[in-house]
Amino acid sequence: MLGANIPRNKKAKMSFDFIHQPSSGFEEPGDSAIATYEYDKHQRKMPFLTEYPSLSWRTDPQDSLSDWTINIKNMDDNNVTTYHVHKNFLGAGSRRSDYFDRLFKLSQQVEELKTCRSNISFRGAATVNAIPEMLDHIYTGQCNFSSSNAAALRYLANYFAIPTLHVAVGKFMECDLCPATAQVYLAEAEPFSDVTVA
C-alpha cells in the first residue's frame, strides 16, 4: 500500500522507478528514470499530479466531453438557449432527474436518443431563467433559491422529476414564507397553476 511504510515524523522522501519500454524504432538513452517527490503527511498530495476542475455543464462542451444537449425554448419570444450536459449526471447521479433516467433507458428508436438532444419548450421567462439553477442542483447540490424563482424551480422539479430539488425548494419556501413574501409566491405560482403554493 502506498505510504504504508512512511515514517510518521515530519517529511519523508520517496522515489519510484518508472521502467521505460521503448517503442519500435525509438529508444531513449537508458531504460529507467527516477522521480522523487516530497511526501507531506499533512498535505498528502503528489506535487507532480495535475488537479482538474469538477465536471460542470458550464464548462466548454469539448473540454468536458459533453454527451447530451438540451435546447430550451421560450415560447413567448421563441428564443432558444442551449445547454451542453452529461448523461451520467442527469440520469444516474445522486440528484438525478427521473425524467432523463427513463429517457436514457428507452429504445434507440426514440429520436432524442438518436440525436443525443432534447428540445423542450416552456412558456414564460421565469421557468427558462431557472434552468441554470436546476442544473447547478443536479451537478453540485447547490442552488440559489429566492422568492422570485422558487415557484419556477418547484415546477421544474416536478416536470423533470427531480426529488432532491423538490425537497430542497420546499424547505426553502417553508423558511422564506412570511407576510412580505406571500404576495410574491402567489404571483409567481399562478402561471404554473400550483395550487399547493397558492
Side-chain angles (χ1 to χ4, degrees):
M1 180 184 296
L2 178 61
N5 297 319
I6 295 175
R8 294 183 180 277
N9 57 351
K10 296 182 179 179
K11 291 186 177 180
K13 275 193 174 182
M14 299 181 65
S15 65
F16 290 95
D17 286 339
F18 296 96
I19 306 303
H20 172 65
Q21 300 292 339
S23 58
S24 176
F26 177 81
E27 184 174 353
E28 296 179 355
D31 60 356
S32 68
I34 304 298
T36 303
Y37 70 93
E38 294 287 332
Y39 181 92
D40 188 324
K41 70 175 183 178
H42 298 293
Q43 294 183 352
R44 296 189 181 279
K45 292 182 179 179
M46 297 180 182
F48 52 79
L49 294 181
T50 302
E51 292 188 7
Y52 295 100
S54 299
L55 194 63
S56 172
W57 63 271
R58 298 177 184 272
T59 308
D60 182 277
Q62 292 187 337
D63 292 339
S64 69
L65 303 179
S66 168
D67 56 0
W68 196 265
T69 300
I70 302 176
N71 290 324
I72 301 294
K73 180 180 179 179
N74 184 341
M75 297 171 63
D76 288 348
D77 57 17
N78 291 325
N79 283 336
V80 176
T81 305
T82 299
Y83 300 94
H84 300 283
V85 294
H86 306 83
K87 292 169 65 176
N88 60 327
F89 275 90
L90 294 182
S94 59
R95 294 170 295 274
R96 70 175 66 106
S97 157
D98 291 338
Y99 170 98
F100 285 107
D101 180 32
R102 292 191 296 267
L103 172 63
F104 297 152
K105 293 175 181 176
L106 292 176
S107 166
Q108 287 293 329
Q109 299 302 315
V110 177
E111 186 64 25
E112 286 178 270
L113 294 178
K114 292 180 181 178
T115 61
C116 296
R117 183 184 306 271
S118 294
N119 298 311
I120 303 172
S121 298
F122 293 113
R123 187 172 299 282
T127 308
V128 173
N129 293 339
I131 294 292
E133 296 300 336
M134 180 195 78
L135 291 176
D136 279 344
H137 171 81
I138 291 176
Y139 275 74
T140 69
Q142 304 297 313
C143 191
N144 292 320
F145 296 114
S146 68
S147 303
S148 59
N149 71 9
L153 285 168
R154 179 185 169 91
Y155 173 78
L156 290 173
N158 290 329
Y159 184 94
F160 289 108
I162 310 171
T164 53
L165 179 58
H166 191 277
V167 170
V169 71
K171 289 181 177 179
F172 169 80
M173 294 172 78
E174 287 179 8
C175 295
D176 187 56
L177 186 60
C178 66
T181 60
Q183 282 299 115
V184 177
Y185 281 122
L186 287 172
E188 293 296 327
E190 185 176 1
F192 307 113
S193 300
D194 194 337
V195 294
T196 304
V197 176

